[in-house]
């Protein structure tokens, strides 16, 4: 029995010695191999595919994750994202990729996107136009420097003909037949689309601008803290309201006196807090409110001028008329002629009747909305 025990012990000692020697030889061989072939690539060694794929996976996992999105890690590894403060519809996106606002800057199809715009226009000017008024629009556009982005809304479908003017090639053109500027504004001037611009001009096509300079106008708007404004109107041409009549003895006015009984309060329209809809200018903050008040189906905008005060506070201080930069309204019924003769009425008469109906509907909707809100908060 004792002899058998000693033989087992001896065998285990020999196995241990062999293992130690093999390990030492392997380490020495590996050292000299590494010294002799420092740039040896595993790609040049015919390793079993299972071993090679394990090496590649290990190598990839050790690399930097910079520049990779969660999708690069496989769908199983993408955590659920929900950010309620993101814009509506973008809650499932990480905030850093969300671009909620846009602009009308024209960009190249080549080169570095960061180099597309040597200068970004700060203001937006829109005209709703027919080609017959091209000379008036050409004269008006020349009153705006390269700080102003030009956007033309075409109600007659004639867009390419404007390329006879060099400035037109840098303008943005949108065309839809027989539509008004408020139809265009509701669909193409969403506040998030025009957020890049400090002020938005929404002008008619029949304005004479010999006495107007856009850069000086902007300076006066800022100087007097106006959120909604318009140039003064030449008293003898197209004048409807006393408030918008140009005064020759001042830069700006914010209130006026109207006919007896027209103003229930001297701080309310049309004696104050009032501009007309032919040539309004909005700050981007005011426009964000006004855009939401424009009704989708009421395309002429009648009545809107009396409600603009809802969007600034105090309205009688932040809505005004710039007297020292003034215009003339030619009162050309070009859009009225785009109407249709029916029931014995001319196209222009039909358009005017629609304008009056829209005004009444807008007033009713606003009054109903006021009553509904007051009832909701228990004050109705």
């Amino acid at each position: 029995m004792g002899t058998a025990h000693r033989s087992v012990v001896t065998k285990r000692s020999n196995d241990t010695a062999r293992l130690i020697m093999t390990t030492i030889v392997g380490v020495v061989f590996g050292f000299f191999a590494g010294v002799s072939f420092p740039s040896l690539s595993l790609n040049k060694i015919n390793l079993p595919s299972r071993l090679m794929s394990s090496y590649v996976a290990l190598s990839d996992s050790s690399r930097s994750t910079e520049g990779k999105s969660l999708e690069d890690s496989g769908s199983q590894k993408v955590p659920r994202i929900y950010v309620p403060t993101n814009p509506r519809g973008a809650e499932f996106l990480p905030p850093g990729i969300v671009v909620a606002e846009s602009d009308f800057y024209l960009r190249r199809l080549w080169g570095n996107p960061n180099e597309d715009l040597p200068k970004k226009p700060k203001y937006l000017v829109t005209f709703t136009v027919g080609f017959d008024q091209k000379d008036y629009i050409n004269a008006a556009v020349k009153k705006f420097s390269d700080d102003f982005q030009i956007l033309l809304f075409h109600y007659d479908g004639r867009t390419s003909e404007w390329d006879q003017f060099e400035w037109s090639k840098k303008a943005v053109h949108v065309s839809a037949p027989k539509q008004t500027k408020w139809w265009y504004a509701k669909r193409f001037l969403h506040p998030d689309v025009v957020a890049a611009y400090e002020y938005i001009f929404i002008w008619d096509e029949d304005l004479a601008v010999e006495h107007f300079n856009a850069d000086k106008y902007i300076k006066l708007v800022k100087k007097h803290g106006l959120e909604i404004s318009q140039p003064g109107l030449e008293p003898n041409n197209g004048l409807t309201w006393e408030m918008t009549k140009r005064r020759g003895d001042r830069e700006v006015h914010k209130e006026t006196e109207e006919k007896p009984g027209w103003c229930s309060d001297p701080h309310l329209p049309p004696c104050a807090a009032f501009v007309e809809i032919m040539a309004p200018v909005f700050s981007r903050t005011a426009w964000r409110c006004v855009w939401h008040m424009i009704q989708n189906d009421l395309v002429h905008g009648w009545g809107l001028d009396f409600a603009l005060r809802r969007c600034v506070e105090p309205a009688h201080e932040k809505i005004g008329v710039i007297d020292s930069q003034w215009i003339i309204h030619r009162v050309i019924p070009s859009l009225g002629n785009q109407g249709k003769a029916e029931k014995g009425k001319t196209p222009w008469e039909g358009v005017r009747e629609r304008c009056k109906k829209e005004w009444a509907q807008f007033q009713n909707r606003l009054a109903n909305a006021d009553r509904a809100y007051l009832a909701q908060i228990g004050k109705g």
Side-chain angles (χ1 to χ4, degrees), residues 187-205:
R187 287 150 183 83
F188 298 100
L189 300 182
H190 186 281
D192 288 343
V193 174
V194 300
Y197 308 102
E198 295 179 40
Y199 294 93
I200 300 100
F201 293 62
I202 303 181
W203 279 21
D204 286 357
E205 62 180 338

Side-chain angles (χ1 to χ4, degrees), residues 147-164:
D147 279 331
F148 296 80
Q149 172 75 56
I150 305 299
L151 170 57
L152 297 188
F153 296 129
H154 301 267
Y155 60 75
D156 63 354
R158 300 169 68 181
T159 57
S160 58
E161 296 171 72
W162 289 84
D163 282 349
Q164 64 182 269

